[in-house]
């Protein structure tokens, strides 16, 4: 009986690893909101266009998250993509670290940071296996990321582990009954 339990555990681990690799592959082939971009990928105008679109589409976000309110704090963004939100935190004075499963996203985030003349530590990393010490960050931010992970509980556990006691976690997941989902169905625009 014990050997079948071990085999099931290995099968579950292999399945999660395959799912993680599928997610990584998906985001290495796609850039969030790329279909709205008119400017060449990786140019200053490209990043500006994506940022303008993001904060028009999510106009509530700066009212909910004070991007300038974290000056001097150590802030981690899990799933930073091309660094649109993270750059806002950096411009507001936070000491930022951004991780993403997709190397393409991190490469583009580095270009975005260079164009904006902000500093940050940007790394390819799996949010389920954060390579940081316990209690490393004052703030952990993950906007629209948890639904793309193979193991949500594992990622939340990692976020909690690296967050300092009394720190702040800012996490957002999309709701299937959201206005964004409704509008996508109404206008026939696909969501990822």
């Amino acid at each position: 009986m014990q050997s079948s339990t071990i085999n099931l555990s290995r099968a579950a681990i292999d399945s999660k690893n395959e799912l993680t690799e599928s997610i990584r592959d998906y985001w290495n082939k796609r850039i969030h909101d790329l279909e709205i971009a008119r400017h060449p990928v990786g140019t200053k105008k490209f990043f500006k266009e994506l940022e303008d679109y993001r904060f028009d589409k999510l106009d509530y976000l700066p009212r909910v998250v004070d991007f300038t309110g974290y000056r001097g704090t150590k802030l981690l963004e899990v799933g930073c993509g091309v660094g649109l939100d993270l750059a806002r935190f950096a411009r507001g004075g936070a000491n930022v670290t951004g991780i993403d499963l997709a190397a393409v996203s991190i490469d583009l985030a580095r270009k975005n940071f260079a164009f904006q003349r902000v500093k940050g530590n940007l790394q390819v990393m799996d949010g389920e296996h954060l390579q940081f010490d316990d209690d490393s960050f004052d703030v952990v931010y993950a906007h629209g990321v948890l639904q793309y992970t193979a193991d949500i509980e594992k990622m939340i556990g990692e976020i909690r582990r690296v967050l300092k006691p009394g720190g702040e976690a800012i996490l957002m997941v999309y709701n299937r009954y959201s206005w964004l989902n409704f509008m996508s169905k109404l206008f026939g625009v696909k969501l990822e």
Side-chain angles (χ1 to χ4, degrees):
M1 196 55 122
Q2 186 177 5
S3 99
S4 66
T5 303
I6 291 170
N7 289 340
L8 284 175
S9 297
R10 285 188 185 138
I13 290 168
D14 289 344
S15 178
K16 277 187 187 175
N17 289 340
E18 287 177 27
L19 180 55
T20 298
E21 287 310 310
S22 294
I23 295 166
R24 181 189 318 271
D25 185 54
Y26 178 90
W27 288 113
N28 271 316
K29 291 178 181 173
R30 293 166 183 83
I31 299 167
H32 195 63
D33 293 330
L34 178 64
E35 54 282 343
I36 63 94
R38 295 182 316 260
H39 295 82
V41 173
T43 63
K44 189 174 185 175
K45 288 182 178 180
F46 167 78
F47 294 114
K48 178 69 173 135
E49 187 173 38
L50 285 185
E51 183 178 29
D52 289 348
Y53 176 74
R54 177 172 177 77
F55 289 98
D56 182 50
K57 177 175 74 172
L58 304 177
D59 68 337
Y60 68 86
L61 192 54
R63 292 189 305 270
V64 175
V65 178
D66 180 5
F67 291 99
T68 62
Y70 297 95
R71 180 171 298 284
T73 63
K74 288 184 69 179
L75 184 141
L76 169 67
E77 182 175 2
V78 177
C80 68
V82 300
L84 300 177
D85 293 3
L86 194 62
R88 284 191 173 208
F89 284 116
R91 287 193 313 259
N95 300 312
V96 300
T97 298
I99 66 143
D100 202 283
L101 197 56
V104 168
S105 293
I106 292 299
D107 289 343
L108 287 169
R110 288 182 179 132
K111 288 180 183 178
N112 185 18
F113 270 50
F115 285 130
Q116 295 197 45
R117 295 187 173 110
V118 293
K119 293 181 181 177
N121 175 13
L122 301 163
Q123 299 181 42
V124 175
M125 191 182 301
D126 183 350
E128 294 178 22
H129 305 281
L130 296 174
Q131 299 166 18
F132 303 110
D133 292 336
D134 295 358
D135 308 329
S136 296
F137 295 95
D138 302 299
V139 180
V140 179
Y141 178 79
H143 187 279
V145 173
L146 292 173
Q147 68 270 15
Y148 292 114
T149 189
D151 189 337
I152 292 172
E153 289 178 10
K154 175 78 173 151
M155 184 179 285
I156 290 172
E158 282 292 277
I159 288 169
R160 185 171 187 215
R161 182 184 65 77
V162 301
L163 191 60
K164 291 179 182 177
E168 182 178 356
I170 306 168
L171 311 175
M172 189 286 292
V173 294
Y174 295 103
N175 185 324
R176 77 180 77 182
Y177 302 111
S178 71
W179 67 268
L180 190 58
N181 191 37
F182 172 75
M183 295 301 283
S184 76
K185 289 182 188 225
L186 182 65
F187 292 106
V189 176
K190 288 185 178 181
L191 296 176
E192 292 155 326

